[in-house]
Amino acid sequence: MDAMVVGIDVSKDRLDVAVRPTGESFVFKRTAAGIEDLIARLKARSPTLVAIEATGGFEAVVAAGLAGAGLPVVVVNPAQVRAFARALGKRAKTDPIDAVVIAHFAEATKPQLRQIPDEMTRLLAELVARRRQIVDMIAADGQRAGRMSDIASLAASAGCAKRWRRNSTSSTG
């Protein structure tokens, strides 16, 4: 029997699911109840791999839910999936087609499973990322302030020139 691989395309409000090699496909809402229904359906099938395309954060809750239920989950790079689709000649881009391509990609490339970080690790990673953003903003503000002092000294020089011109015209005129 062939290994069962599932591809999931995650969007803002729905999950498009494709199963290989059976060709089944189904849709769930991207809600807590929808994810629970997805987990129940997948657990009944015992897939060897569930691949989810990274979609700017929408996939995080789905991946965490599936991993928490003990399903073998991997989040795949969307650029690699797109390149794979182009290599297959799949030009159309709809959510159901994307789910099929994600499943096919996972079946062909067999991406390595990685442990999904626990809640504390995820929170720490978010805090570190936010700190990095703030440090970058402080550095940018420091550079702006340096340019502002140059502008301020230029404005002060311009003010001196205006006063000199005003004084020189009043003494000659």
Side-chain angles (χ1 to χ4, degrees):
M1 182 175 146
D2 290 334
M4 183 176 293
V5 178
V6 176
I8 302 176
D9 184 69
V10 181
S11 62
K12 183 178 176 184
D13 56 353
R14 65 187 250 174
L15 307 169
D16 286 276
V17 181
V19 181
R20 283 189 61 97
T22 65
E24 293 176 87
S25 62
F26 29 94
V27 177
F28 295 94
K29 290 184 178 179
R30 197 179 70 83
T31 62
I35 294 170
E36 286 177 22
D37 292 344
L38 172 63
I39 289 169
R41 182 165 291 179
L42 292 181
K43 282 193 140 222
R45 287 170 172 68
S46 300
T48 56
L49 182 64
V50 179
I52 303 173
E53 188 176 50
T55 55
F58 288 135
E59 79 286 350
V61 172
V62 179
L66 295 174
L71 290 163
V73 178
V74 64
V75 177
V76 294
N77 183 326
Q80 291 176 332
V81 174
R82 279 292 104 225
F84 184 79
R86 278 193 303 278
L88 293 176
K90 302 253 187 218
R91 301 281 184 231
K93 181 157 177 27
T94 65
D95 293 340
I97 291 173
D98 284 350
V100 170
V101 170
I102 293 165
H104 193 174
F105 171 81
E107 183 181 56
T109 62
K110 296 174 182 45
Q112 193 169 13
L113 292 174
R114 287 180 230 131
Q115 177 122 8
I116 303 280
D118 65 3
E119 185 65 21
M120 274 306 214
T121 305
R122 189 188 59 71
L123 179 59
L124 180 60
E126 287 178 7
L127 288 171
V128 168
R130 182 62 184 142
R131 179 187 179 278
R132 187 177 56 249
Q133 292 170 348
I134 290 170
V135 168
D136 289 347
M137 288 184 339
I138 290 170
D141 282 345
Q143 291 174 352
R144 277 190 217 99
R147 287 194 300 266
M148 291 304 291
S149 65
D150 292 344
I151 292 170
S153 64
L154 181 62
S157 297
C160 288
K162 285 181 184 177
R163 281 193 301 278
W164 178 80
R165 191 173 58 226
R166 192 176 34 225
N167 289 340
S168 66
T169 54
S170 63
S171 61
T172 58

